[in-house]
Amino acid sequence: MNSRFALLLIIAAVSVLLAFLLWQYIFNVYEVSFKVSAQNLYADSKSTVRIEAVPLNAFGIRAPFRRSSCAFELLEGKDLVSITQVFPEKGIIVLQAGDKPGKVVLKIKTRYSLWPALIEISVIPALA
């Protein structure tokens, strides 16, 4: 009976340690990167860009089962694009170009970032 108790105690201690290490290195969010589908938009009122916040773990890969909620703010170029979809709780925004060229600056603040991120997207004239 004494050896069973010791074995159960060792299994419990290893399980707790493994759960702690999994949480700290796999599931915990250390940084947020942003995936931008295109750096340029064309001023044709059809082209779109999708920006998604990707929570990263200690190994620099996407943290499983985690999302990074974001607050989005257009600083420049409010008249150049329109927001077609926004999901702040998922950290996703979709912008659609208008018919004027210029530069769009988007400020993104997440709960995991120390400073807000600035994303610049150029709206270039459509040729053709």
Side-chain angles (χ1 to χ4, degrees):
M1 185 75 170
N2 199 5
S3 64
R4 269 191 171 169
F5 180 71
L7 181 64
L8 286 176
L9 190 62
I10 290 171
I11 290 173
V14 168
S15 297
V16 168
L17 181 64
L18 184 63
F20 175 75
L21 292 175
L22 277 174
W23 177 257
Q24 287 298 317
Y25 293 105
I26 303 294
F27 295 108
N28 201 10
V29 176
Y30 283 88
E31 184 181 349
V32 176
S33 69
F34 297 97
K35 187 167 63 170
V36 182
S37 65
Q39 288 298 321
N40 295 323
L41 289 173
Y42 294 101
D44 60 358
S45 300
K46 295 178 186 173
S47 63
T48 60
V49 63
R50 183 177 191 262
I51 302 168
E52 178 183 3
V54 179
L56 302 176
N57 62 17
F59 299 113
I61 58 174
R62 180 186 280 270
F65 311 114
R66 301 298 299 266
R67 293 183 183 166
S68 179
S69 60
C70 298
F72 300 102
E73 181 183 354
L74 278 169
L75 297 179
E76 287 183 39
K78 293 178 185 178
D79 57 334
L80 302 177
V81 294
S82 61
I83 299 172
T84 58
Q85 294 178 343
V86 61
F87 303 105
E89 66 282 349
K90 293 181 180 179
I92 298 173
I93 189 168
V94 178
L95 303 173
Q96 184 174 8
D99 56 353
K100 294 186 278 186
K103 181 174 82 169
V104 176
V105 178
L106 182 68
K107 181 171 88 169
I108 305 172
K109 176 69 177 148
T110 68
R111 68 179 266 210
Y112 300 111
S113 60
L114 189 59
W115 304 104
L118 295 177
I119 307 243
E120 292 184 9
I121 299 166
S122 298
V123 181
I124 55 177
L127 304 173

